[in-house]
Amino acid sequence: ALKILENAQLNEHSTKVPALFVCTSGKVVFENGLKQQLSSCGYIHIEPYVKNGVKGVRHSKLLLIK
């Protein structure tokens, strides 16, 4: 589980395996070349070796499932 505060940022990084990124509460912007807004119950599939980052729009709780 991760917590991202409003206006906080998780720096750009990548993963070696496919992953599922789930926003359980709050709102974030997920960026992987495209900007996608995720809010409660929103999710995105993360492909291996694709750089991505996250910025908090509101205080948020997130799950990263690999």
Side-chain angles (χ1 to χ4, degrees):
L2 303 166
K3 283 186 183 180
I4 303 271
L5 300 177
E6 186 173 341
N7 295 319
Q9 189 161 341
L10 181 59
N11 292 329
E12 193 174 80
H13 60 281
S14 64
T15 178
K16 294 180 182 180
V17 297
L20 183 64
F21 188 71
V22 183
C23 181
T24 59
S25 68
K27 186 181 281 188
V28 297
V29 173
F30 180 86
E31 191 168 349
N32 62 349
L34 302 172
K35 289 185 178 181
Q36 298 176 288
Q37 203 167 80
L38 296 176
S39 54
S40 294
C41 299
Y43 65 92
I44 190 164
H45 294 275
I46 303 173
E47 296 297 323
Y49 303 104
V50 175
K51 291 189 183 236
N52 60 80
V54 179
K55 181 176 182 184
V57 176
R58 294 191 205 131
H59 292 2
S60 304
K61 292 181 182 174
L62 310 157
L63 293 175
L64 180 62
I65 303 166
K66 292 185 178 183

